[in-house]
């Protein structure tokens, strides 16, 4: 801070009275003496009659420094150094008393030299920053200037030769005060301007505009911070391998808005509507708000109008900025490396101007290194590596992914204040595959949102209108409304462009490809040009094709010498239009079996006239295959005008397929492919069985079309029937874990519904859902991981653990303190006795490490055992203290014990005997006969097949009222059971692997018994 600047902060009228305290008051009279007075006798803090102490001098210095710091303007040094600066200034003032000179010598010396004497006479300050030391030196000079002026005004000052000097000092001080009052400090003009400019940039670019949309009630612009989402950019980079291996290129991905974080120079390519300009706006707004960079948004279509590309001084005026910067401001920003230069739309200027633009840009970069530069362009505007030699990194905006599309739709409807249309549109985007293929960039997503809202949700049944609007926007309205003038080459009208594009599209469709060589494309355009009047004389086929590639927004070059459509759905739409115009309906139906032609046929129905529609649909029905019948049904949404007979025929034939009434019909629908998803009904109006089969159909299509399948399943998440809920819970593995949990599982009614967890991802998702009461963990999971997946283990009442080699101690499960039912299968668990503290009523053990602890469990009512048991009687291992009511004994469970000791559980009501490995004896059956409450007996048919003698040794069991025989493979002979079960009232038969059961045979054996058959 210069003394003059400091004088602007400490006016002499305020500082002089403070400094006067440093000196002894002048005596009365002229005080003329024969020699000057020494300074040591003038200061007030030395001698016998001192009026100031050193402490007072420190306070005075602190006051002076505080005045300078607290005054308006920029702080001269960091605030935490204020005390140190004040102390240093006080030490210099105290050095006045030690100077070996008189007042006359001091005045002659001048204020700067006097300040230097004080600096040498005081201890050097330690630890001060550069700014603080600079301020201290200038403050000392200013104080000396005031001191000398004070000397010249003393009445005892008799040196007449100093009178003129006194006047000069006073004039200098007055002029400095006046100058600082009128002149701002250096650099303040720049900072003042930037405080106006940056908010202007943030406000000007804080919106998104969709050009070319003329829909009523739909916004064409909305706040940037509401609608912006970060897109992905890709770059192809060389990977250098060791010498013995050749180099390879690979693709890297990064968020597009971080493109300049690692590279100062970026060329960003992107198709029409991919979000290039929106990204430029976002970078400008972010930089303006952060204040770390000064953004300059330079749209080339605007700059090129003036003919001369702007110099830095004209950056703002050339873009119609209303603020006028200080002279040389932009150059100072660029020279300091503080600029973010965003040059947008290289493709939007004539090709002849692009090389001139490159030279202009490179000259700026070389003149002002250290800044950040972004240039945007469509992919085909300039060749690859156009700026690579100048250190530019090339990035390409990637298509939007499903999550990004969802986020865009949500934000668009928030900005448009139309939340009621958001959900139906998202469902349509999930189930309509051609719509999903179209919605891959912000431009098309915005158009879809706007058209859907404009039509009050009519979009799913009027897709042709969407394509028509999209083509009008891309081929004509967008460039017009953006104010783009001719690019100096070919100017084609909308219809002329459609004609050329649909010829290219139909050629691709017929070839069964989605890409075409540029040479072949030029041949097609060349043959077509004579029939397109508006294209006559505008150039050869190569020039016209280049114009379509650059500006139509529908074609692109994915590789050198190759072209394709940016969206397959546009290829199908334009190809279908041409096929109908040329009367190629037979070509369409001849390819109906090819799933690649599905969209072509549906869109042909949309383009066709009523009689042509009827012909197409009836030809599809005549093939009498489920898929083509369903294709005809899907075509009805495009048939705005159709004779009632054809419509009725389609609906009648499709009604036999949808909704699926059996598992077999569901399988047939799955074979028809993802087309089915948009035709599946419900849940309203469906029976429970139909609802279940609809969910089965959608589930099985999950791997092929997860988004569409999820949309269908989401509709059934509130269905009350247990079979539907089980189907929804059981198909988790076919979908993204977190998404399916949030969209379906977390909404299901939990009653009697198990959720199976197989992985760490499943565990993580369970932890984020509301509590599940019934859980199954399949595979290796640490006990700690299981507990961590259940934030509230006290809510779990049923738990199944299968195939878990990590579970060795069941004591780890005691955290589930409300557990009532537990299934342990193939777990090396020990310590079952620890479960006695839990309220268990149902326990199942299959392949458990040690079951000896079973005996002490007190509350078991249902017990299932499928493994070899220790001991010689059931009472040696089964829970003797529990009031068993239901018991299942499976393979090997009776090898050592038989049924000995079974009578101990006199309250047993149901006994199930599985595929035993040991024959039952009469003594075993006597244990059964001794059970007074037993009414239900379940036998595996393997006992009857493998141990027929066991049945013949069975005594009469008059208390058995219900018999079940499962796993029947042949017509097993049950006649031996008839006399032994005289009280039988119901018989249930279940097959094994779909083996038919001869019901008539058993009806004769059990004439008075109700027979139920379960076939798999």
């Amino acid at each position: 801070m210069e003394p003059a600047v400091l004088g602007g902060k400490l006016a002499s009228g305020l500082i002089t009275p403070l400094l006067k305290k440093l000196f002894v008051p002048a005596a009365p009279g002229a005080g003329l003496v024969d020699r000057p007075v020494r300074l040591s006798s003038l200061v007030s803090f030395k001698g016998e009659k001192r009026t100031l102490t050193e402490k007072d001098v420190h306070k005075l210095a602190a006051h002076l420094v505080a005045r300078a710091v607290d005054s308006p303007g920029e702080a001269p040094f960091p605030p935490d150094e204020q005390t140190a600066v004040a102390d240093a200034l006080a030490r210099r003032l105290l050095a006045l008393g030690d100077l070996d000179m008189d007042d006359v010598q001091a005045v002659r010396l001048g204020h700067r030299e006097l300040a230097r004497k004080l600096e040498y006479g005081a201890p050097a300050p330690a630890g001060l920053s550069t700014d603080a030391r600079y301020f201290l030196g200038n403050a000392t000079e200013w104080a000396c200037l005031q001191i000398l002026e004070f000397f010249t005004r003393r009445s005892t000052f008799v040196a007449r030769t100093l009178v003129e000097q006194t006047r000069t000092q006073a004039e200098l001080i007055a002029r400095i005060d006046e100058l600082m009052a009128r002149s701002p400090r250096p650099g303040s003009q720049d900072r003042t301007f930037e405080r106006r400019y940056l908010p202007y940039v943030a406000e000007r670019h804080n919106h998104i505009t969709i050009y070319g949309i003329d829909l009523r009630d739909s916004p064409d612009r909305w706040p940037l911070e509401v609608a912006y989402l970060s897109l992905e950019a890709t770059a192809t980079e060389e990977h250098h391998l060791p010498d013995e291996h050749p180099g390879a290129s690979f693709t890297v991905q990064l968020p597009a808005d971080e493109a300049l974080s690692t590279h100062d120079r970026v060329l960003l390519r992107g198709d029409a509507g991919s979000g290039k300009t929106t990204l430029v706006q976002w970078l400008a707004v972010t930089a303006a708000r952060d204040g770390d960079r000064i953004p300059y948004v330079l749209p080339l279509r605007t700059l090129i109008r003036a003919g001369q590309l702007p110099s830095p001084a004209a950056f703002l005026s050339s873009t119609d900025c209303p603020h006028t910067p200080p002279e040389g401001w932009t150059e100072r920003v660029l020279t300091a490396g503080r600029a973010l230069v965003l040059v947008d739309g290289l493709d939007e200027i004539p090709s002849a101007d692009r090389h001139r633009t490159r030279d202009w840009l490179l000259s700026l970069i070389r003149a002002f290194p250290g800044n950040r530069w972004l240039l945007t362009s469509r992919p085909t505007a300039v060749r690859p590596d156009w700026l690579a030699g100048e250190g530019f990194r090339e990035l390409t905006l990637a298509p939007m992914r499903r999550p990004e599309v969802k986020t865009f739709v949500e934000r668009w409807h928030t900005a448009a204040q139309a939340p009621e249309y958001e959900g139906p549109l998202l469902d349509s985007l999930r189930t309509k595959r051609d719509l999903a293929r179209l919605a891959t960039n912000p431009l098309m997503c915005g158009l879809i949102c706007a058209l859907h809202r404009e039509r009050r949700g009519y979009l799913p049944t009027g897709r042709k209108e969407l394509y028509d609007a999209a083509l009008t926007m891309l081929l004509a309205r967008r460039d017009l409304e953006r104010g783009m003038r001719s690019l100096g080459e070919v100017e084609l009208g909308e219809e002329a462009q459609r004609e050329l594009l649909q010829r290219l599209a139909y050629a691709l469709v017929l070839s069964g490809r989605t890409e075409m060589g540029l040479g072949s494309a030029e041949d097609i355009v060349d043959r077509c040009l004579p029939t397109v009047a508006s294209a006559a004389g505008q150039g050869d086929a190569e020039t016209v094709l280049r114009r379509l590639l650059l500006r139509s927004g529908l074609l692109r070059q994915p590789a050198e010498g190759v072209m394709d459509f940016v969206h397959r759905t546009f290829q199908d739409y334009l190809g279908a239009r041409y096929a109908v115009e040329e009367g190629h309906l037979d070509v369409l139906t001849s390819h109906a079996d090819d799933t690649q032609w599905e969209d072509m046929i549906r869109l042909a129905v949309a383009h066709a006239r009523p009689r042509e529609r009827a012909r197409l649909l009836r030809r599809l029905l005549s093939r009498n295959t489920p898929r083509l019948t369903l294709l005809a049904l899907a075509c009805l949404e495009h048939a705005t005008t159709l004779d009632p007979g054809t419509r009725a025929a389609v609906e009648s034939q499709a009604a036999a397929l949808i909704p699926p009434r059996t598992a077999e019909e569901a399988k047939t629908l799955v074979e028809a492919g993802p087309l089915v998803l948009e035709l599946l009904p419900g849940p309203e109006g469906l029976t429970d069985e139909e609802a279940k089969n609809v969910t089965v159909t959608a589930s099985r299509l999950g791997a092929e079309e997860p988004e569409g399948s999820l949309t269908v399943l989401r509709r059934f998440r509130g269905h009350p029937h247990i079979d539907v809920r089980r189907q929804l819970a059981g198909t988790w593995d076919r979908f993204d874990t977190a998404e399916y949990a949030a969209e379906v599982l977390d909404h299901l009614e939990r009653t009697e519904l198990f959720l199976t967890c197989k992985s760490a991802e499943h565990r993580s998702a369970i932890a984020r859902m509301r509590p599940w009461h019934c859980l199954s963990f399949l595979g290796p999971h640490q006990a700690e991981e299981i507990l961590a997946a259940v934030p509230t283990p006290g809510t779990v009442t049923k738990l199944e653990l299968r195939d878990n080699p990590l579970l060795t101690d069941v004591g780890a499960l005691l955290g589930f303190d409300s557990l009532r039912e537990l299934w342990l299968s193939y777990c090396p668990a020990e310590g079952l006795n620890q479960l006695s503290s839990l309220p268990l009523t149902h326990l199942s053990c299959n392949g458990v490490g040690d079951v000896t602890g079973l005996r002490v469990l007190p509350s078991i009512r249902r017990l299932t055992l499928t493994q070899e048991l220790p001991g010689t009687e059931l009472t040696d291992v089964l829970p003797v203290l529990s009031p068993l009511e239901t018991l299942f004994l499976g393979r090997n469970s009776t090898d050592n014990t038989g049924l000995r000791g079974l009578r101990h559980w006199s309250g047993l009501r149901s006994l199930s005997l599985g595929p035993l490995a040991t024959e039952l004896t009469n003594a075993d059956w006597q244990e059964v006969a001794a059970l007074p409450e037993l009414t239900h007996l379940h036998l595996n048919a393997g006992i009857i097949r493998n141990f027929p003698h066991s049945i013949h040794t069975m005594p009469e069991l008059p208390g058995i009222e219900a018999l079940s025989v499962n796993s029947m493979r042949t017509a097993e002979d049950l006649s031996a059971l008839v006399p032994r079960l005289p009280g039988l009232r119901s018989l249930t038969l279940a097959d094994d692997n779909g083996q038919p059961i001869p019901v008539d045979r058993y009806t004769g054996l059990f004439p008075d018994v109700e027979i139920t058959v379960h076939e798999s």
Side-chain angles (χ1 to χ4, degrees):
M1 182 177 292
E2 296 291 338
V5 179
L6 186 60
K9 288 179 171 286
L10 299 175
S12 58
L14 296 175
I15 190 69
T16 301
L18 295 175
L19 292 175
K20 284 175 65 176
K21 294 181 180 181
L22 295 172
F23 301 95
V24 176
L32 297 176
V33 294
D34 58 352
R35 72 175 186 272
V37 181
R38 308 301 295 180
L39 292 185
S40 59
S41 63
L42 291 178
V43 296
S44 60
F45 47 84
K46 299 195 72 170
E48 297 179 356
K49 297 181 179 181
R50 67 178 64 181
T51 59
L52 289 181
T53 64
E54 289 190 9
K55 184 176 182 181
D56 294 327
V57 176
H58 278 274
K59 288 182 178 179
L60 186 147
H63 187 61
L64 293 177
V65 174
R67 283 288 184 90
V69 172
D70 294 338
S71 61
E74 182 183 2
F77 56 85
D80 59 349
E81 295 184 287
Q82 183 170 334
T83 300
V85 170
D87 288 341
L89 180 59
R91 289 194 294 271
R92 291 186 179 184
L93 293 176
L94 288 170
L96 280 168
D98 298 324
L99 291 180
D100 186 21
M101 66 177 65
D102 56 36
D103 56 345
V104 174
Q105 290 174 324
V107 172
R108 288 175 178 172
L109 197 61
H111 70 282
R112 288 193 175 88
E113 192 60 27
L114 179 60
R116 194 171 293 110
K117 293 285 187 182
L118 296 180
E119 180 180 352
Y120 292 152
L128 293 182
S129 65
T130 301
D131 288 341
R133 290 197 303 272
Y134 192 62
F135 171 88
L136 178 60
N138 290 317
T140 306
E141 288 186 19
W142 179 251
C144 289
L145 187 64
Q146 299 290 342
I147 289 170
L148 296 184
E149 199 274 341
F150 168 72
F151 285 166
T152 64
R153 291 178 179 269
R154 287 172 54 87
S155 61
T156 57
F157 194 86
V158 296
R160 300 301 182 185
T161 58
L162 297 179
V163 172
E164 190 63 31
Q165 183 179 354
T166 301
R167 293 173 183 163
T168 304
Q169 295 283 5
E171 288 178 4
L172 175 61
I173 294 171
R175 288 176 181 176
I176 290 177
D177 284 345
E178 182 181 0
L179 176 64
M180 292 312 302
R182 293 189 300 179
S183 301
R185 293 183 295 277
S188 62
Q189 284 185 323
D190 287 1
R191 289 190 291 273
T192 300
F193 175 74
E194 288 170 13
R195 283 195 290 269
R196 298 198 314 271
Y197 174 71
L198 293 178
Y200 160 77
V201 172
E203 177 62 27
R204 177 176 180 177
H205 297 287
N206 188 28
H207 64 271
I208 293 178
T209 300
I210 295 184
Y211 294 98
I213 296 180
D214 57 350
L215 304 177
R216 185 185 68 254
D217 299 332
S218 292
D220 62 354
R221 57 185 282 159
W222 56 94
L224 180 66
E225 68 267 18
V226 174
Y228 179 78
L229 71 158
S230 178
L231 300 178
E232 291 288 321
T234 62
T236 301
E237 298 185 353
E238 294 297 324
H239 184 57
H240 299 287
L241 299 174
D243 294 338
E244 62 270 17
H245 299 287
S249 62
F250 63 100
T251 300
V252 296
Q253 285 189 311
L254 72 160
D257 47 15
E258 296 179 11
L260 290 169
S261 62
T262 56
H263 287 75
D264 288 342
R265 305 174 190 178
V266 171
L267 171 59
L268 181 70
R269 299 178 188 260
D271 293 318
S274 59
K276 301 184 296 297
T277 298
T278 301
L279 176 62
V280 165
Q281 292 177 246
W282 180 257
L283 293 173
V285 170
T286 303
R289 289 178 174 172
D290 293 345
D292 57 341
R293 292 269 173 178
I294 305 298
Y296 300 94
V297 178
L298 304 176
L300 284 172
R301 64 176 179 273
T302 301
L303 303 183
I304 210 69
R305 292 174 190 160
Q308 185 71 31
L309 291 166
S311 65
F315 275 6
L316 301 194
S317 60
S318 63
T319 55
D320 300 325
C321 175
H323 296 286
T324 302
E327 185 176 354
W329 170 72
T330 304
E331 284 200 24
R332 287 193 292 275
V333 171
L334 289 166
T335 301
R338 299 170 55 218
L340 172 63
V341 185
L342 305 165
V343 184
D344 187 30
L346 182 66
D347 57 284
E348 297 176 356
I349 61 176
S351 57
D353 291 324
R354 291 173 197 152
H355 291 286
R356 181 162 64 94
T357 298
R358 179 173 63 178
D359 294 340
W360 165 77
L361 181 61
L362 295 181
S363 67
L364 289 173
I365 293 174
R366 291 163 185 161
F368 302 104
N371 297 285
R372 292 182 177 175
W373 310 80
L374 176 72
L375 176 64
T376 72
S377 173
R378 290 192 187 181
T380 56
V382 292
R383 70 177 188 276
D385 301 328
W386 193 61
L387 286 171
E390 304 298 333
F392 273 76
R393 185 189 194 190
E394 289 204 7
L395 297 175
T396 302
L397 281 175
M400 292 167 65
R401 297 166 300 180
R402 294 289 177 88
E404 292 164 343
V405 172
K406 180 176 182 292
T407 300
F408 183 97
V409 171
E410 292 170 346
R411 293 180 179 177
W412 189 97
H413 286 85
T414 297
Q417 298 180 351
E420 66 273 19
Y421 298 110
E422 177 186 312
L425 179 57
L426 286 174
D427 285 345
S428 295
L429 288 169
R430 293 183 184 107
T431 56
K432 312 288 187 180
R433 289 173 296 155
D434 55 342
L435 272 183
R437 288 197 295 265
L438 192 61
T440 55
N441 66 51
L443 177 67
M444 297 310 301
C445 278
L447 175 66
I448 291 170
C449 291
L451 189 62
H452 182 260
R453 183 195 180 194
E454 175 74 11
R455 301 296 189 267
R456 299 293 189 270
Y458 179 68
L459 181 62
T461 57
R463 225 170 302 165
K464 179 178 179 294
E465 296 175 3
L466 171 64
Y467 302 140
D468 287 338
L471 288 173
T472 297
M473 176 182 64
L474 292 172
L475 299 180
R477 295 184 57 88
R478 191 160 184 262
D479 281 354
L480 180 64
E481 294 185 12
R482 296 172 80 190
M484 291 181 56
R485 65 177 178 85
S486 169
L487 296 185
E489 295 177 349
V490 178
E491 286 302 310
L492 297 174
E494 180 181 346
E495 282 304 316
Q497 292 181 76
R498 284 182 188 249
E499 182 66 29
L500 294 169
L501 289 167
Q502 68 186 27
R503 297 280 186 98
L504 294 169
Y506 192 57
L508 283 170
V509 170
L510 288 177
S511 67
R513 300 194 306 270
T514 58
E515 293 183 347
M516 178 186 297
L518 287 180
S520 299
E522 289 174 9
D523 290 342
I524 294 172
V525 172
D526 188 53
R527 292 194 298 271
C528 183
L529 280 178
T531 66
V532 182
S534 62
Q538 297 232 27
D540 57 15
E542 180 182 1
T543 302
V544 171
L545 180 61
R546 185 170 62 248
R547 172 64 174 79
L548 291 174
L549 281 165
L550 180 61
R551 299 306 317 161
S552 72
L554 295 177
L555 299 180
R556 64 175 184 174
Q557 279 186 261
E560 186 69 24
V562 175
M563 58 131 286
D564 68 356
F565 280 82
V566 293
H567 302 291
R568 170 66 186 271
T569 187
F570 281 134
Q571 175 184 311
D572 291 340
Y573 174 82
L574 291 165
R577 186 174 188 256
Y578 184 76
V580 170
E581 288 180 355
E582 295 297 312
H584 294 174
L585 302 185
D586 292 340
V587 175
L588 294 172
T589 54
S590 67
H591 289 86
D593 289 324
D594 187 346
T595 57
Q596 296 295 319
W597 283 67
E598 279 182 5
D599 288 337
M600 274 278 292
I601 292 172
R602 295 170 71 176
L603 292 168
V605 170
H607 286 296
R609 292 175 286 274
R611 289 185 179 178
E612 294 169 332
R613 289 172 182 157
R615 283 171 52 200
L616 271 171
L617 293 175
R618 289 194 176 276
R619 288 182 182 180
L620 293 176
L621 294 179
S622 67
R623 305 281 285 276
N624 199 28
T625 64
R627 197 185 71 81
L628 295 187
T629 299
L630 294 175
L631 177 58
L633 181 63
C635 287
L636 291 184
E637 70 170 278
H638 302 287
T640 53
T641 304
L642 183 66
D643 74 89
T646 301
R647 186 180 297 274
V650 173
E651 292 173 345
S652 174
Q653 194 161 319
L657 299 171
I658 294 181
R661 297 161 186 82
T662 65
E664 190 62 31
E665 291 182 4
K667 181 180 178 182
T668 299
L669 290 183
V670 171
E671 293 171 351
L675 167 72
V676 171
L677 292 171
E678 57 190 276
L679 304 174
L680 290 174
E684 297 80 7
L686 300 181
T687 66
D688 292 342
E689 187 66 20
E690 289 171 343
K692 174 191 173 183
N693 287 315
V694 167
T695 59
V696 168
T697 303
S699 297
R700 292 181 177 177
L701 288 168
E704 189 172 355
E705 195 71 28
E707 286 289 332
S709 299
L710 182 59
T711 299
V712 174
L713 297 177
R714 188 188 295 108
R715 301 201 302 259
F716 289 82
R717 64 191 185 186
H719 202 285
H721 198 268
I722 185 63
D723 287 344
V724 176
R725 291 187 286 124
R726 283 174 179 163
Q727 177 61 35
L728 293 175
T731 193
W732 193 3
D733 289 341
R734 291 189 172 101
F735 301 90
D736 176 81
T737 299
E739 183 179 19
Y740 193 79
E743 296 291 331
V744 177
L745 295 179
D746 208 20
H747 299 268
L748 296 178
E749 165 60 40
R750 308 294 207 246
T751 305
E752 297 300 317
L753 184 63
F754 269 87
L755 181 65
T756 300
C757 173
K758 299 179 181 178
S759 65
E761 290 78 10
H762 285 175
R763 294 198 307 268
S764 178
I766 289 174
R768 292 192 298 268
M769 287 189 276
R770 59 190 178 90
W772 283 85
H773 309 300
C774 309
L775 286 170
S776 175
F777 289 86
L778 174 62
H781 302 272
Q782 296 282 359
E784 296 79 6
E785 294 173 336
I786 295 173
L787 285 168
V790 187
T792 54
T795 61
V796 178
T797 58
K798 299 180 181 181
L799 180 65
E800 180 183 27
L801 303 171
R802 285 191 291 151
D803 301 324
N804 189 349
L806 304 180
L807 184 66
T808 58
D809 184 4
V810 297
L813 304 177
L814 297 182
F816 297 100
D817 52 10
S818 299
L819 203 60
R820 296 186 175 277
E821 301 184 21
L822 175 64
W823 288 262
L824 298 173
S825 180
Y826 297 104
C827 303
E830 298 180 354
L832 293 182
N833 59 300
Q834 299 175 78
L835 300 177
S836 60
S837 62
L838 299 179
L840 281 179
T841 59
H842 181 190
L843 179 63
S844 175
C845 295
N846 177 18
V848 176
D850 182 10
V851 296
T852 55
L854 274 175
R855 196 169 188 277
V856 301
L857 300 184
S859 55
I860 304 299
R861 295 182 177 273
R862 297 173 58 198
L863 180 63
T864 298
L865 296 170
T866 311
Q867 64 182 79
E868 186 175 337
L869 302 177
T872 58
E873 294 188 359
L874 294 177
T875 51
D876 293 338
V877 62
L878 267 60
V880 295
L881 302 178
S882 292
L884 281 183
E885 297 176 355
T886 300
L887 177 63
F888 176 90
L889 297 173
R891 188 178 302 278
N892 301 120
S893 58
T894 60
D895 288 358
N896 299 323
T897 64
L899 297 181
R900 292 182 293 278
L902 183 63
R903 67 181 68 206
H904 172 79
W905 291 275
S906 58
L908 201 65
R909 297 178 181 177
S910 176
L911 175 64
S912 298
L913 300 175
L916 302 179
T918 304
E919 187 171 5
L920 295 174
T921 65
N922 180 261
D924 292 325
W925 286 116
Q926 290 301 325
E927 294 288 330
V928 176
L931 298 171
E933 302 292 331
L934 190 68
T935 58
H936 288 69
L937 181 63
H938 304 266
L939 297 176
N940 186 281
I943 299 175
I944 300 172
R945 291 192 300 269
N946 301 327
F947 306 113
H949 183 67
S950 293
I951 303 301
H952 289 285
T953 60
M954 177 192 296
E956 185 177 296
L957 302 174
I960 300 300
E961 299 176 357
L963 173 66
S964 295
V965 181
N966 54 27
S967 299
M968 297 182 66
R969 295 181 182 174
T970 60
E972 280 86 352
D973 185 6
L974 305 182
S975 59
L977 294 171
V978 176
R980 292 169 172 80
L981 304 173
L984 194 64
R985 297 181 181 178
S986 68
L987 173 63
T988 301
L989 306 174
D991 65 17
D992 184 16
N993 296 324
Q995 296 294 328
I997 297 176
V999 181
D1000 294 342
R1001 175 177 179 178
Y1002 301 115
T1003 302
L1005 283 176
F1006 301 93
D1008 300 323
V1009 175
E1010 180 182 353
I1011 300 178
T1012 302
V1013 175
H1014 294 307
E1015 295 182 348
S1016 59

